[in-house]
Amino acid sequence: MSNENGTEKKSRGWLKWIVVLGSGILIGAAVAVVFIMVKTGNKKQKSVLKSDVKSESDVISSTDEDIVTENVSSSMKVTSSDVSDIAESVLPAVVSIDCVIESSYSDMFDDMFGYGYGFGYNTPRTYETTASGTGFIIGQNGDELLIATNNHVVEDANKVSVEFVDGKTALATVKGTDSAYDVAVISVDISDIDSDTLGKIKIATIGDSDIVKVGDMSIAIGNSLGYGQSVTVGHISALEREVKTEDNKTMTLMQTDTIINHGNSGGPLLNIYGEVIGITSAKYGTSSSGKAEGMCFAIPITKVVPIINELMNRVELSPSEVGYLGIDGKEVNDSYSKAFSMPKGLYIYSVDKDSAAYKAGLKSGDIITSIDGRAISTMEELKNILSYKKYDTEIEIIYSTMGNSGYEDKKIKVKLGKKSVFDKSGSN
């Protein structure tokens, strides 16, 4: 009898341990599942960078009723061996751009000798050339679909057309350009886009180029050589590369070994989450000129977000409405900057009395470095900025002025004035 009781107690003891062990396994599994869900959720959240490119009325929000496109999902992450998912997701936000440029020339006999000889040689002749590039959809502003690209893609174009992901085309209008940063925004009337196409296109997600690291994977999508959209993959090779442009200006660009051919210009350079981190440009690449292989460049997107925002919302003004600052100046280029230890910018050598600049305290010798977040160094750039700023508009100017220990940076708010119709000076 006692043996039976002992056996029964031992059995109960084993059952107790089995129950405890089973409970521990279940609790541990539950904790592990919760931990994985939390970590996965956090990682996914970090990968999503909301677009900074938006209009003043926030019309790019996907909750607005008039939005006909959806944003590209950037919650995915791809491996270096598989970019098909990211390409499939972003391609609807990419467009091919075709431009027609009309040029003119005089007959060669007239150019050489200065005479027409009465045979009509002096008659100007025109001809058309075509150029191709790439752009990406950044949003909608009222009844317009907005697309970002390079300035040099649409510069001097008489006709611009875009081709969407489904092969349908539509005419586009150049809404605004900035030659200094080589960016442009073109627009397509929503009414000119086929309803089926509207259901297939998407808005690109803008990333943060400031957090990009050397070695990060990069993906370029573009209308390579005008043959249509293609995808190339590589890595970020260098950051903050100073590259000389054809007009002897210096641009600070990202360097990548991702292949960027002619026709890719204006297209998106993406990170592994499908976010735009740069605007590709074959113009600054060196592989095509034979100087080096695998050195291609892109404009860091974060640096041009303020410019794109402004270009998206530009409104044409009449000459009488254009704001007036009241200065005349000269560029401080790289050579002057290094030779005289001066900051690069627009050197003021005269200020009109009672002008907006005069009232704000700007004086001869000051160097304007930026206006409303846009770097500036020439009078042409100043004129371009002010041409879309109405008088009485307040702008923010960052400038350098000579202090006791060299140049000091200052920031001021300036309310633009109105230029007199009798003022024939070259100041702006």
Side-chain angles (χ1 to χ4, degrees):
M1 190 75 175
S2 59
N3 288 338
E4 291 179 1
N5 290 335
T7 302
E8 188 176 347
K9 287 180 179 180
K10 288 181 180 179
S11 299
R12 290 177 180 174
W14 279 109
L15 286 172
K16 186 186 295 183
W17 281 110
I18 291 171
V19 171
V20 170
L21 183 61
S23 300
I25 292 172
L26 289 173
I27 293 172
V31 171
V33 169
V34 172
F35 178 78
I36 291 171
M37 289 176 65
V38 170
K39 293 296 286 183
T40 303
N42 288 341
K43 186 174 183 180
K44 189 173 182 179
Q45 188 175 3
K46 287 181 181 178
S47 73
V48 179
L49 295 175
K50 293 183 178 179
S51 172
D52 291 324
V53 180
K54 56 180 67 177
S55 66
E56 293 175 1
S57 58
D58 200 22
V59 295
I60 294 183
S61 169
S62 59
T63 58
D64 291 347
E65 292 182 0
D66 63 342
I67 296 299
V68 295
T69 58
E70 59 177 293
N71 282 76
V72 172
S73 173
S74 61
S75 59
M76 67 182 68
K77 179 177 179 179
V78 298
T79 65
S80 59
S81 61
D82 181 14
V83 296
S84 58
D85 287 342
I86 202 109
E88 183 180 359
S89 178
V90 179
L91 274 169
V94 182
V95 301
S96 299
I97 299 176
D98 291 303
C99 301
V100 176
I101 303 167
E102 187 177 277
S103 302
S104 62
Y105 68 99
S106 296
D107 189 274
M108 61 178 290
F109 290 104
D110 180 64
D111 287 341
M112 291 173 64
F113 305 111
Y115 298 100
Y117 294 108
F119 295 107
Y121 289 124
N122 198 33
T123 304
R125 305 177 186 276
T126 62
Y127 65 97
E128 289 185 346
T129 59
T130 58
S132 61
T134 308
F136 53 97
I137 301 170
I138 53 176
Q140 180 184 352
N141 192 353
D143 297 326
E144 301 172 315
L145 189 70
L146 303 172
I147 299 165
T149 185
N150 284 138
N151 170 65
H152 75 263
V153 170
V154 297
E155 190 175 24
D156 299 326
N158 299 95
K159 179 181 177 183
V160 180
S161 61
V162 300
E163 181 178 316
F164 297 103
V165 65
D166 61 353
K168 300 290 180 61
T169 61
L171 290 178
T173 302
V174 178
K175 192 170 181 67
T177 64
D178 190 297
S179 58
Y181 286 90
D182 195 20
V183 294
V185 172
I186 62 176
S187 63
V188 178
D189 286 342
I190 295 295
S191 59
D192 292 338
I193 304 175
D194 187 82
S195 58
D196 290 337
T197 302
L198 289 174
K200 295 175 182 178
I201 59 178
K202 296 180 180 180
I203 297 172
T205 299
I206 306 300
D208 185 356
S209 58
D210 286 345
I211 63 174
V212 173
K213 297 178 181 179
V214 173
D216 283 353
M217 183 176 164
S218 56
I219 305 161
I221 300 180
N223 181 23
S224 185
L225 302 178
Y227 290 136
Q229 303 300 348
S230 62
V231 180
T232 55
V233 183
H235 296 84
I236 301 298
S237 312
L239 301 171
E240 303 290 327
R241 270 291 191 242
E242 291 193 348
V243 180
K244 286 281 187 181
T245 64
E246 294 173 355
D247 52 1
N248 206 34
K249 288 190 177 183
T250 300
M251 292 190 70
T252 304
L253 307 172
M254 288 190 297
Q255 181 183 318
T256 176
D257 64 356
T258 308
I259 298 173
I260 298 172
N261 292 310
H262 291 289
N264 279 84
S265 288
L269 185 70
L270 310 167
N271 61 17
I272 57 175
Y273 302 108
E275 299 159 347
V276 180
I277 55 172
I279 303 177
T280 61
S281 179
K283 181 179 181 180
Y284 309 115
T286 54
S287 58
S288 60
S289 62
K291 295 179 182 177
E293 188 173 343
M295 286 182 65
C296 298
F297 297 94
I299 303 167
I301 192 65
T302 304
K303 292 184 183 298
V304 293
V305 160
I307 299 166
I308 293 175
N309 274 324
E310 182 187 340
L311 297 179
M312 287 168 61
N313 297 286
R314 279 189 171 179
V315 177
E316 294 289 340
L317 299 175
S318 66
S320 62
E321 294 178 306
V322 173
Y324 177 61
L325 183 59
I327 68 163
D328 206 348
K330 186 176 182 180
E331 178 185 8
V332 179
N333 57 27
D334 292 331
S335 300
Y336 279 110
S337 177
K338 292 174 182 177
F340 300 103
S341 298
M342 302 167 68
K344 289 188 291 185
L346 179 61
Y347 180 89
I348 301 174
Y349 60 75
S350 68
V351 178
D352 294 346
K353 191 175 181 180
D354 296 326
S355 65
Y358 181 87
K359 294 174 182 177
L362 291 172
K363 60 185 184 298
S364 177
D366 291 341
I367 300 174
I368 298 176
T369 55
S370 76
I371 294 179
D372 285 344
R374 293 176 57 185
I376 181 174
S377 60
T378 67
M379 287 298 293
E380 186 63 29
E381 291 170 359
L382 174 63
K383 182 180 179 180
N384 185 41
I385 292 173
L386 296 184
S387 64
Y388 296 95
K389 303 282 187 183
K390 193 174 182 179
Y391 62 87
D392 288 338
T393 299
E394 190 175 70
I395 61 175
E396 181 182 86
I397 295 179
I398 297 178
Y399 69 102
S400 296
T401 189
M402 181 59 74
N404 295 329
S405 56
Y407 282 98
E408 301 172 352
D409 291 336
K410 292 191 176 182
K411 183 191 297 185
I412 56 171
K413 297 283 187 179
V414 180
K415 188 176 182 180
L416 293 174
K418 190 174 183 180
K419 189 172 184 177
S420 170
V421 293
F422 301 105
D423 188 347
K424 303 301 181 183
S425 67
S427 58
N428 288 113

Short mmCIF file of all heavy atoms in Angstrom, two decimals, residues 103-159:
data_model
loop_
_atom_site.label_atom_id
_atom_site.label_comp_id
_atom_site.label_asym_id
_atom_site.label_seq_id
_atom_site.Cartn_x
_atom_site.Cartn_y
_atom_site.Cartn_z
N SER A 103 16.35 75.45 -83.45
CA SER A 103 17.51 76.33 -83.56
C SER A 103 17.53 76.99 -84.92
O SER A 103 16.86 76.55 -85.86
CB SER A 103 18.80 75.52 -83.36
OG SER A 103 18.80 74.87 -82.10
N SER A 104 18.31 78.06 -85.04
CA SER A 104 18.39 78.77 -86.32
C SER A 104 19.84 79.06 -86.67
O SER A 104 20.71 79.08 -85.80
CB SER A 104 17.59 80.07 -86.26
OG SER A 104 18.13 80.93 -85.28
N TYR A 105 20.10 79.27 -87.94
CA TYR A 105 21.44 79.59 -88.39
C TYR A 105 21.34 80.37 -89.70
O TYR A 105 20.32 80.35 -90.38
CB TYR A 105 22.27 78.32 -88.60
CG TYR A 105 21.81 77.46 -89.76
CD1 TYR A 105 22.44 77.53 -91.00
CD2 TYR A 105 20.73 76.58 -89.62
CE1 TYR A 105 22.02 76.76 -92.06
CE2 TYR A 105 20.30 75.81 -90.68
CZ TYR A 105 20.95 75.89 -91.89
OH TYR A 105 20.52 75.12 -92.94
N SER A 106 22.43 81.05 -90.03
CA SER A 106 22.50 81.76 -91.30
C SER A 106 23.32 80.93 -92.27
O SER A 106 24.13 80.09 -91.87
CB SER A 106 23.15 83.14 -91.11
OG SER A 106 22.37 83.94 -90.28
N ASP A 107 23.10 81.18 -93.53
CA ASP A 107 23.82 80.41 -94.54
C ASP A 107 25.33 80.60 -94.39
O ASP A 107 25.82 81.68 -94.07
CB ASP A 107 23.38 80.87 -95.93
CG ASP A 107 23.93 79.96 -97.01
OD1 ASP A 107 25.06 80.20 -97.44
OD2 ASP A 107 23.22 79.00 -97.37
N MET A 108 26.09 79.57 -94.66
CA MET A 108 27.53 79.60 -94.45
C MET A 108 28.23 80.65 -95.32
O MET A 108 29.22 81.24 -94.92
CB MET A 108 28.15 78.24 -94.73
CG MET A 108 27.97 77.72 -96.13
SD MET A 108 28.79 76.13 -96.40
CE MET A 108 30.50 76.62 -96.35
N PHE A 109 27.71 80.95 -96.52
CA PHE A 109 28.34 81.94 -97.39
C PHE A 109 28.22 83.33 -96.77
O PHE A 109 29.14 84.13 -96.80
CB PHE A 109 27.71 81.93 -98.78
CG PHE A 109 28.05 80.70 -99.55
CD1 PHE A 109 27.11 79.69 -99.71
CD2 PHE A 109 29.31 80.54 -100.11
CE1 PHE A 109 27.42 78.55 -100.42
CE2 PHE A 109 29.63 79.40 -100.83
CZ PHE A 109 28.68 78.39 -100.97
N ASP A 110 27.06 83.60 -96.18
CA ASP A 110 26.86 84.89 -95.54
C ASP A 110 27.76 85.01 -94.32
O ASP A 110 28.32 86.07 -94.06
CB ASP A 110 25.39 85.05 -95.14
CG ASP A 110 25.13 86.39 -94.48
OD1 ASP A 110 25.30 87.43 -95.15
OD2 ASP A 110 24.77 86.39 -93.29
N ASP A 111 27.92 83.93 -93.57
CA ASP A 111 28.76 83.95 -92.38
C ASP A 111 30.22 84.18 -92.75
O ASP A 111 30.96 84.87 -92.05
CB ASP A 111 28.64 82.63 -91.61
CG ASP A 111 27.31 82.52 -90.91
OD1 ASP A 111 26.65 83.55 -90.71
OD2 ASP A 111 26.93 81.39 -90.58
N MET A 112 30.66 83.58 -93.85
CA MET A 112 32.07 83.66 -94.22
C MET A 112 32.46 84.99 -94.85
O MET A 112 33.48 85.58 -94.53
CB MET A 112 32.42 82.53 -95.19
CG MET A 112 32.41 81.15 -94.56
SD MET A 112 32.64 79.86 -95.78
CE MET A 112 34.30 80.23 -96.36
N PHE A 113 31.60 85.50 -95.74
CA PHE A 113 31.98 86.67 -96.52
C PHE A 113 31.15 87.92 -96.22
O PHE A 113 31.53 89.01 -96.62
CB PHE A 113 31.88 86.35 -98.02
CG PHE A 113 32.68 85.14 -98.40
CD1 PHE A 113 32.03 83.97 -98.79
CD2 PHE A 113 34.06 85.15 -98.37
CE1 PHE A 113 32.77 82.85 -99.14
CE2 PHE A 113 34.80 84.04 -98.72
CZ PHE A 113 34.16 82.87 -99.11
N GLY A 114 30.02 87.71 -95.51
CA GLY A 114 29.21 88.87 -95.18
C GLY A 114 28.34 89.36 -96.31
O GLY A 114 27.77 90.45 -96.26
N TYR A 115 28.22 88.60 -97.37
CA TYR A 115 27.40 89.00 -98.52
C TYR A 115 26.41 87.88 -98.86
O TYR A 115 26.71 86.69 -98.73
CB TYR A 115 28.26 89.28 -99.75
CG TYR A 115 29.24 90.42 -99.55
CD1 TYR A 115 30.57 90.15 -99.25
CD2 TYR A 115 28.80 91.74 -99.65
CE1 TYR A 115 31.46 91.19 -99.06
CE2 TYR A 115 29.70 92.79 -99.46
CZ TYR A 115 31.03 92.51 -99.16
OH TYR A 115 31.90 93.53 -98.97
N GLY A 116 25.27 88.28 -99.36
CA GLY A 116 24.28 87.31 -99.79
C GLY A 116 24.31 87.05 -101.28
O GLY A 116 23.74 86.11 -101.77
N TYR A 117 24.99 87.92 -101.99
CA TYR A 117 25.13 87.79 -103.44
C TYR A 117 23.79 87.76 -104.17
O TYR A 117 23.71 87.32 -105.30
CB TYR A 117 25.92 86.53 -103.80
CG TYR A 117 27.35 86.58 -103.36
CD1 TYR A 117 27.77 85.79 -102.29
CD2 TYR A 117 28.28 87.42 -103.99
CE1 TYR A 117 29.08 85.85 -101.86
CE2 TYR A 117 29.59 87.48 -103.56
CZ TYR A 117 29.99 86.69 -102.49
OH TYR A 117 31.29 86.74 -102.07
N GLY A 118 22.72 88.18 -103.47
CA GLY A 118 21.43 88.25 -104.13
C GLY A 118 20.76 86.92 -104.37
O GLY A 118 19.79 86.83 -105.09
N PHE A 119 21.30 85.85 -103.78
CA PHE A 119 20.71 84.52 -104.01
C PHE A 119 19.95 84.00 -102.79
O PHE A 119 19.70 82.82 -102.67
CB PHE A 119 21.82 83.52 -104.36
CG PHE A 119 22.49 83.84 -105.65
CD1 PHE A 119 23.78 84.36 -105.66
CD2 PHE A 119 21.83 83.65 -106.86
CE1 PHE A 119 24.40 84.67 -106.86
CE2 PHE A 119 22.46 83.95 -108.06
CZ PHE A 119 23.74 84.47 -108.06
N GLY A 120 19.62 84.89 -101.85
CA GLY A 120 18.85 84.47 -100.69
C GLY A 120 19.65 83.76 -99.63
O GLY A 120 19.10 83.09 -98.76
N TYR A 121 20.98 83.90 -99.66
CA TYR A 121 21.81 83.21 -98.69
C TYR A 121 21.65 83.79 -97.28
O TYR A 121 22.01 83.17 -96.31
CB TYR A 121 23.29 83.29 -99.10
CG TYR A 121 23.62 82.44 -100.28
CD1 TYR A 121 24.21 83.00 -101.41
CD2 TYR A 121 23.35 81.08 -100.26
CE1 TYR A 121 24.54 82.22 -102.50
CE2 TYR A 121 23.67 80.29 -101.36
CZ TYR A 121 24.26 80.86 -102.47
OH TYR A 121 24.57 80.08 -103.55
N ASN A 122 21.17 85.04 -97.20
CA ASN A 122 21.08 85.70 -95.92
C ASN A 122 19.81 85.33 -95.16
O ASN A 122 19.57 85.84 -94.08
CB ASN A 122 21.17 87.22 -96.11
CG ASN A 122 21.52 87.94 -94.83
OD1 ASN A 122 22.27 87.40 -94.02
ND2 ASN A 122 20.99 89.14 -94.67
N THR A 123 18.99 84.48 -95.71
CA THR A 123 17.73 84.09 -95.07
C THR A 123 18.01 83.15 -93.89
O THR A 123 18.65 82.12 -94.07
CB THR A 123 16.81 83.37 -96.07
OG1 THR A 123 16.60 84.23 -97.19
CG2 THR A 123 15.48 83.03 -95.40
N PRO A 124 17.56 83.51 -92.70
CA PRO A 124 17.78 82.62 -91.55
C PRO A 124 17.08 81.28 -91.77
O PRO A 124 15.97 81.22 -92.30
CB PRO A 124 17.13 83.39 -90.38
CG PRO A 124 17.05 84.80 -90.85
CD PRO A 124 16.86 84.74 -92.32
N ARG A 125 17.72 80.23 -91.39
CA ARG A 125 17.16 78.90 -91.54
C ARG A 125 16.99 78.26 -90.17
O ARG A 125 17.79 78.52 -89.27
CB ARG A 125 18.05 78.03 -92.43
CG ARG A 125 18.33 78.64 -93.80
CD ARG A 125 19.27 77.78 -94.62
NE ARG A 125 19.64 78.44 -95.86
CZ ARG A 125 18.92 78.42 -96.97
NH1 ARG A 125 17.78 77.74 -96.99
NH2 ARG A 125 19.34 79.05 -98.06
N THR A 126 15.97 77.49 -90.02
CA THR A 126 15.71 76.83 -88.73
C THR A 126 15.74 75.33 -88.91
O THR A 126 15.47 74.81 -90.01
CB THR A 126 14.35 77.25 -88.16
OG1 THR A 126 13.31 76.86 -89.07
CG2 THR A 126 14.29 78.76 -87.93
N TYR A 127 16.07 74.66 -87.82
CA TYR A 127 16.04 73.20 -87.82
C TYR A 127 15.70 72.72 -86.42
O TYR A 127 15.84 73.46 -85.43
CB TYR A 127 17.39 72.63 -88.27
CG TYR A 127 18.53 72.94 -87.33
CD1 TYR A 127 18.96 72.01 -86.37
CD2 TYR A 127 19.20 74.16 -87.38
CE1 TYR A 127 20.00 72.29 -85.51
CE2 TYR A 127 20.24 74.45 -86.52
CZ TYR A 127 20.64 73.52 -85.59
OH TYR A 127 21.66 73.80 -84.73
N GLU A 128 15.22 71.52 -86.34
CA GLU A 128 14.80 70.95 -85.06
C GLU A 128 15.73 69.82 -84.64
O GLU A 128 16.16 69.02 -85.48
CB GLU A 128 13.36 70.44 -85.13
CG GLU A 128 12.32 71.53 -85.21
CD GLU A 128 10.91 70.98 -85.14
OE1 GLU A 128 10.74 69.74 -85.29
OE2 GLU A 128 9.96 71.77 -84.94
N THR A 129 16.03 69.79 -83.36
CA THR A 129 16.76 68.66 -82.78
C THR A 129 15.93 68.10 -81.64
O THR A 129 15.05 68.78 -81.09
CB THR A 129 18.14 69.09 -82.26
OG1 THR A 129 17.96 70.12 -81.27
CG2 THR A 129 19.01 69.61 -83.37
N THR A 130 16.18 66.87 -81.30
CA THR A 130 15.45 66.24 -80.21
C THR A 130 16.42 65.83 -79.10
O THR A 130 17.60 65.59 -79.34
CB THR A 130 14.70 64.99 -80.69
OG1 THR A 130 15.62 64.06 -81.25
CG2 THR A 130 13.65 65.36 -81.73
N ALA A 131 15.90 65.79 -77.90
CA ALA A 131 16.68 65.36 -76.74
C ALA A 131 15.77 64.57 -75.81
O ALA A 131 14.56 64.77 -75.79
CB ALA A 131 17.26 66.57 -76.01
N SER A 132 16.36 63.66 -75.08
CA SER A 132 15.57 62.84 -74.17
C SER A 132 16.15 62.88 -72.78
O SER A 132 17.33 63.17 -72.56
CB SER A 132 15.52 61.38 -74.66
OG SER A 132 16.82 60.83 -74.71
N GLY A 133 15.31 62.61 -71.82
CA GLY A 133 15.72 62.59 -70.42
C GLY A 133 14.70 61.82 -69.60
O GLY A 133 13.85 61.08 -70.15
N THR A 134 14.76 62.01 -68.30
CA THR A 134 13.90 61.27 -67.37
C THR A 134 13.37 62.24 -66.32
O THR A 134 13.97 63.29 -66.07
CB THR A 134 14.69 60.14 -66.68
OG1 THR A 134 15.34 59.35 -67.68
CG2 THR A 134 13.78 59.23 -65.86
N GLY A 135 12.27 61.90 -65.72
CA GLY A 135 11.72 62.67 -64.60
C GLY A 135 10.99 61.74 -63.66
O GLY A 135 10.79 60.56 -63.97
N PHE A 136 10.59 62.26 -62.51
CA PHE A 136 9.80 61.46 -61.57
C PHE A 136 8.70 62.31 -60.97
O PHE A 136 8.86 63.51 -60.73
CB PHE A 136 10.68 60.83 -60.48
CG PHE A 136 11.55 61.79 -59.73
CD1 PHE A 136 11.14 62.31 -58.50
CD2 PHE A 136 12.78 62.16 -60.22
CE1 PHE A 136 11.94 63.20 -57.80
CE2 PHE A 136 13.60 63.04 -59.53
CZ PHE A 136 13.18 63.56 -58.31
N ILE A 137 7.55 61.69 -60.77
CA ILE A 137 6.35 62.39 -60.31
C ILE A 137 6.49 62.75 -58.84
O ILE A 137 6.78 61.89 -58.00
CB ILE A 137 5.10 61.52 -60.53
CG1 ILE A 137 4.96 61.17 -62.02
CG2 ILE A 137 3.85 62.23 -60.04
CD1 ILE A 137 3.90 60.12 -62.32
N ILE A 138 6.28 64.03 -58.52
CA ILE A 138 6.44 64.49 -57.14
C ILE A 138 5.14 64.94 -56.50
O ILE A 138 5.10 65.24 -55.30
CB ILE A 138 7.47 65.63 -57.05
CG1 ILE A 138 7.12 66.75 -58.03
CG2 ILE A 138 8.88 65.10 -57.30
CD1 ILE A 138 8.04 67.96 -57.93
N GLY A 139 4.07 65.01 -57.28
CA GLY A 139 2.80 65.38 -56.66
C GLY A 139 1.83 66.01 -57.62
O GLY A 139 2.01 65.98 -58.84
N GLN A 140 0.80 66.60 -57.03
CA GLN A 140 -0.25 67.23 -57.81
C GLN A 140 -0.57 68.57 -57.18
O GLN A 140 -0.68 68.71 -55.97
CB GLN A 140 -1.51 66.36 -57.83
CG GLN A 140 -2.65 66.97 -58.63
CD GLN A 140 -3.91 66.14 -58.55
OE1 GLN A 140 -3.88 65.04 -58.01
NE2 GLN A 140 -5.01 66.64 -59.05
N ASN A 141 -0.67 69.59 -58.01
CA ASN A 141 -0.98 70.93 -57.53
C ASN A 141 -2.18 71.43 -58.30
O ASN A 141 -2.06 71.88 -59.43
CB ASN A 141 0.23 71.85 -57.75
CG ASN A 141 0.09 73.17 -57.02
OD1 ASN A 141 -0.95 73.47 -56.45
ND2 ASN A 141 1.14 73.96 -57.04
N GLY A 142 -3.38 71.33 -57.69
CA GLY A 142 -4.59 71.70 -58.40
C GLY A 142 -4.87 70.72 -59.52
O GLY A 142 -5.00 69.51 -59.29
N ASP A 143 -4.92 71.21 -60.74
CA ASP A 143 -5.22 70.37 -61.90
C ASP A 143 -3.96 69.95 -62.65
O ASP A 143 -4.04 69.49 -63.79
CB ASP A 143 -6.14 71.12 -62.87
CG ASP A 143 -7.49 71.42 -62.24
OD1 ASP A 143 -7.95 70.59 -61.43
OD2 ASP A 143 -8.06 72.49 -62.53
N GLU A 144 -2.79 70.10 -62.01
CA GLU A 144 -1.53 69.76 -62.66
C GLU A 144 -0.85 68.59 -61.97
O GLU A 144 -0.85 68.49 -60.74
CB GLU A 144 -0.56 70.95 -62.61
CG GLU A 144 -1.06 72.21 -63.27
CD GLU A 144 -0.12 73.37 -63.01
OE1 GLU A 144 0.31 73.54 -61.86
OE2 GLU A 144 0.18 74.10 -63.97
N LEU A 145 -0.28 67.70 -62.77
CA LEU A 145 0.60 66.66 -62.26
C LEU A 145 2.02 67.21 -62.35
O LEU A 145 2.44 67.67 -63.41
CB LEU A 145 0.47 65.38 -63.09
CG LEU A 145 1.18 64.14 -62.53
CD1 LEU A 145 0.48 63.65 -61.27
CD2 LEU A 145 1.23 63.04 -63.56
N LEU A 146 2.76 67.15 -61.26
CA LEU A 146 4.07 67.78 -61.19
C LEU A 146 5.19 66.75 -61.28
O LEU A 146 5.14 65.71 -60.62
CB LEU A 146 4.20 68.58 -59.90
CG LEU A 146 3.12 69.66 -59.71
CD1 LEU A 146 3.20 70.26 -58.31
CD2 LEU A 146 3.27 70.75 -60.76
N ILE A 147 6.20 67.07 -62.07
CA ILE A 147 7.30 66.14 -62.34
C ILE A 147 8.63 66.88 -62.17
O ILE A 147 8.79 67.99 -62.69
CB ILE A 147 7.20 65.57 -63.77
CG1 ILE A 147 5.88 64.78 -63.93
CG2 ILE A 147 8.40 64.70 -64.11
CD1 ILE A 147 5.52 64.49 -65.36
N ALA A 148 9.57 66.28 -61.45
CA ALA A 148 10.90 66.87 -61.27
C ALA A 148 11.87 66.27 -62.28
O ALA A 148 11.78 65.09 -62.62
CB ALA A 148 11.40 66.63 -59.85
N THR A 149 12.82 67.09 -62.74
CA THR A 149 13.84 66.62 -63.67
C THR A 149 15.03 67.57 -63.59
O THR A 149 15.07 68.46 -62.72
CB THR A 149 13.29 66.54 -65.11
OG1 THR A 149 14.27 65.97 -65.97
CG2 THR A 149 12.88 67.90 -65.64
N ASN A 150 16.00 67.41 -64.48
CA ASN A 150 17.12 68.35 -64.57
C ASN A 150 16.74 69.56 -65.41
O ASN A 150 15.97 69.44 -66.38
CB ASN A 150 18.34 67.69 -65.23
CG ASN A 150 19.09 66.75 -64.33
OD1 ASN A 150 19.50 65.69 -64.75
ND2 ASN A 150 19.31 67.13 -63.07
N ASN A 151 17.33 70.70 -65.10
CA ASN A 151 17.12 71.89 -65.91
C ASN A 151 17.65 71.67 -67.33
O ASN A 151 17.01 72.06 -68.32
CB ASN A 151 17.81 73.08 -65.27
CG ASN A 151 17.84 74.29 -66.18
OD1 ASN A 151 16.81 74.86 -66.51
ND2 ASN A 151 19.03 74.68 -66.61
N HIS A 152 18.83 71.04 -67.44
CA HIS A 152 19.43 70.91 -68.77
C HIS A 152 18.66 69.96 -69.68
O HIS A 152 18.87 69.95 -70.89
CB HIS A 152 20.90 70.48 -68.68
CG HIS A 152 21.13 69.05 -68.33
ND1 HIS A 152 21.40 68.61 -67.05
CD2 HIS A 152 21.14 67.94 -69.09
CE1 HIS A 152 21.57 67.31 -67.05
NE2 HIS A 152 21.41 66.87 -68.28
N VAL A 153 17.75 69.16 -69.12
CA VAL A 153 16.92 68.28 -69.94
C VAL A 153 15.89 69.08 -70.73
O VAL A 153 15.63 68.80 -71.91
CB VAL A 153 16.22 67.22 -69.06
CG1 VAL A 153 15.16 66.46 -69.86
CG2 VAL A 153 17.22 66.24 -68.49
N VAL A 154 15.30 70.10 -70.10
CA VAL A 154 14.22 70.86 -70.75
C VAL A 154 14.65 72.26 -71.18
O VAL A 154 13.84 73.01 -71.74
CB VAL A 154 13.00 70.96 -69.80
CG1 VAL A 154 12.43 69.59 -69.52
CG2 VAL A 154 13.37 71.66 -68.49
N GLU A 155 15.90 72.62 -70.94
CA GLU A 155 16.38 73.95 -71.27
C GLU A 155 16.26 74.21 -72.77
O GLU A 155 16.66 73.39 -73.60
CB GLU A 155 17.84 74.09 -70.83
CG GLU A 155 18.38 75.50 -70.90
CD GLU A 155 19.78 75.58 -70.34
OE1 GLU A 155 20.49 74.54 -70.30
OE2 GLU A 155 20.18 76.68 -69.92
N ASP A 156 15.69 75.37 -73.11
CA ASP A 156 15.53 75.82 -74.51
C ASP A 156 14.58 74.94 -75.33
O ASP A 156 14.54 75.05 -76.56
CB ASP A 156 16.88 75.88 -75.23
CG ASP A 156 17.85 76.86 -74.58
OD1 ASP A 156 17.38 77.89 -74.07
OD2 ASP A 156 19.06 76.57 -74.57
N ALA A 157 13.81 74.10 -74.67
CA ALA A 157 12.88 73.22 -75.40
C ALA A 157 11.65 73.99 -75.85
O ALA A 157 11.06 74.76 -75.09
CB ALA A 157 12.47 72.03 -74.53
N ASN A 158 11.26 73.79 -77.10
CA ASN A 158 10.03 74.38 -77.62
C ASN A 158 8.82 73.50 -77.36
O ASN A 158 7.69 73.97 -77.32
CB ASN A 158 10.15 74.61 -79.13
CG ASN A 158 11.27 75.55 -79.49
OD1 ASN A 158 12.38 75.12 -79.79
ND2 ASN A 158 11.01 76.85 -79.44
N LYS A 159 9.09 72.21 -77.20
CA LYS A 159 8.01 71.25 -76.95
C LYS A 159 8.53 70.16 -76.03
O LYS A 159 9.62 69.63 -76.23
CB LYS A 159 7.53 70.65 -78.27
CG LYS A 159 6.42 69.63 -78.14
CD LYS A 159 6.03 69.06 -79.51
CE LYS A 159 4.98 67.98 -79.41
NZ LYS A 159 4.66 67.39 -80.72
#
